[in-house]
Amino acid sequence: MRPNGRPDDDGGGAAGPGAARRAVFTPVDTRARVDTVVRRIGDAIELGLLADGEQLPGETELAGQLGVSTVTLREALMALRQQGLVTTRRGRGGGSFVTLPDDPPEERLRARLDDWSTEELRDLGDHWAAVSGAAALLAARRTQPGDLRPLTRTVEELAAAGDPATRSRLYGRFHVELAAAAQSARLTREEIALQTDLGALLCLVLDDPVHLGNVSDRHRAVISAVQDEADERARTLAETCVRESVGRLIALRLGTPAATEARPEEDTHGQEHRARGPRGGHH
């Protein structure tokens, strides 16, 4: 048992390097199951949780993991093949394999952004910030040190990524892994679902090196706050990161310049001192 009352990590908890991946292969909702399976696996591929060329489990095994019939799974795999996200090979050594999509054309993304009103974008941004903020707060209270390795790796990959499509996938993956570190399968699935609505659109704002630098710094600050068990500070940082990125999308939608962003150390100094008590503010 840790000093703050947390159980020691025995390797079998919800968090850990594979927690986000495990959330992909949990039973799906009972409504519109074919569409739900397509969305679940498709989102995981676009986020990079399932690697390009990776072989999916066999049909019987995968259907059992997702809690659907093999007929439903086959229909979902057919839809994924039509979307270019899965390739099926027959014969010995065959099966269904992940196919990472090409970079989405900017024109298509612009048209997709135009389909959203500014009110819808704000509402979705509020929802995303609430989910990521809750995940960061719970991660600061529950996570073990080893659970943060995937987050650290993703941040460094994001900072080094050379194209907006890769950056958007890594941005989304960070928030999914943060929810996994919170040991919440429901929050993890919600983060994956949110990437369907906004994930690809972040390609339009992650080509700015200044914003990318701020995002990377803020993600590192979230990890630091989680390590320090500064739960409220972690929540504030995670919420701010999401709100700034969605704010840039709204500015792009309106055709106005994005507001100047505060660096993490500039806009969280007060929250840090308020959030940290003797053990990170949840005393």
Side-chain angles (χ1 to χ4, degrees):
M1 185 73 70
R2 294 182 64 182
N4 63 354
R6 301 182 196 172
D8 293 327
D9 184 16
D10 62 0
R21 285 175 54 88
R22 286 197 296 273
V24 175
F25 300 118
T26 55
V28 299
D29 193 282
T30 57
R31 296 163 294 180
R33 284 192 167 189
V34 171
D35 291 342
T36 305
V37 171
V38 171
R39 178 171 174 170
R40 173 81 66 78
I41 296 177
D43 291 351
I45 292 171
E46 294 194 351
L47 279 173
L49 295 174
L50 301 177
D52 189 27
E54 178 177 344
Q55 184 172 6
L56 295 175
E59 288 185 356
T60 302
E61 179 184 355
L62 184 54
Q65 290 175 339
L66 296 173
V68 299
S69 69
T70 54
V71 172
T72 296
L73 179 66
R74 285 169 185 161
E75 290 183 26
L77 290 174
M78 182 183 299
L80 289 165
R81 285 195 294 271
Q82 291 172 345
Q83 295 177 22
L85 296 176
V86 166
T87 301
T88 299
R89 304 173 195 165
R90 303 297 179 187
R92 185 175 182 180
S96 295
F97 297 83
V98 171
T99 305
L100 197 64
D102 294 330
D103 296 352
E106 183 173 347
E107 296 77 12
R108 180 159 56 87
L109 290 176
R110 289 275 188 164
R112 182 172 169 181
L113 179 62
D114 288 342
D115 287 339
W116 290 86
S117 69
T118 55
E119 291 78 10
E120 289 172 328
L121 286 170
R122 288 193 185 96
D123 187 53
L124 191 56
D126 288 341
H127 177 60
W128 189 8
V131 171
S132 287
L137 181 142
L138 291 174
R141 295 178 179 178
R142 298 174 175 174
T143 194
Q144 301 291 325
D147 300 335
L148 300 179
R149 284 193 293 268
L151 288 162
T152 301
R153 182 175 59 248
T154 296
V155 170
E156 298 314 313
E157 290 179 7
L158 173 61
D163 63 277
T166 301
R167 293 169 185 169
S168 69
R169 283 195 290 269
L170 291 168
Y171 185 111
R173 187 197 299 175
F174 176 89
H175 287 275
V176 171
E177 290 171 341
L178 182 63
Q183 303 183 26
S184 172
R186 190 174 292 274
L187 282 176
T188 303
R189 290 194 295 269
E190 187 66 19
E191 283 283 5
I192 292 173
L194 280 163
Q195 302 312 310
T196 299
D197 294 319
L198 284 177
L201 294 179
L202 293 176
C203 293
L204 299 172
V205 299
L206 289 174
D207 58 347
D208 178 356
V210 173
H211 179 54
L212 178 63
N214 281 353
V215 166
S216 298
D217 287 346
R218 202 174 303 284
H219 282 184
R220 292 188 186 99
V222 170
I223 295 172
S224 178
V226 170
Q227 287 175 326
D228 292 344
E229 302 177 30
D231 50 4
E232 291 294 343
R233 176 172 172 249
R235 175 166 62 181
T236 297
L237 285 163
E239 289 178 350
T240 302
C241 187
V242 168
R243 290 187 190 281
E244 285 179 348
S245 294
V246 175
R248 282 179 163 263
L249 283 175
I250 292 171
L252 188 62
R253 174 69 175 80
L254 293 172
T256 58
T260 302
E261 297 177 17
R263 305 290 286 184
E265 63 271 17
E266 292 173 351
D267 72 335
T268 61
H269 183 73
Q271 287 90 336
E272 177 177 355
H273 286 287
R274 286 194 296 273
R276 291 195 191 200
R279 289 292 295 160
H282 46 88
H283 46 277

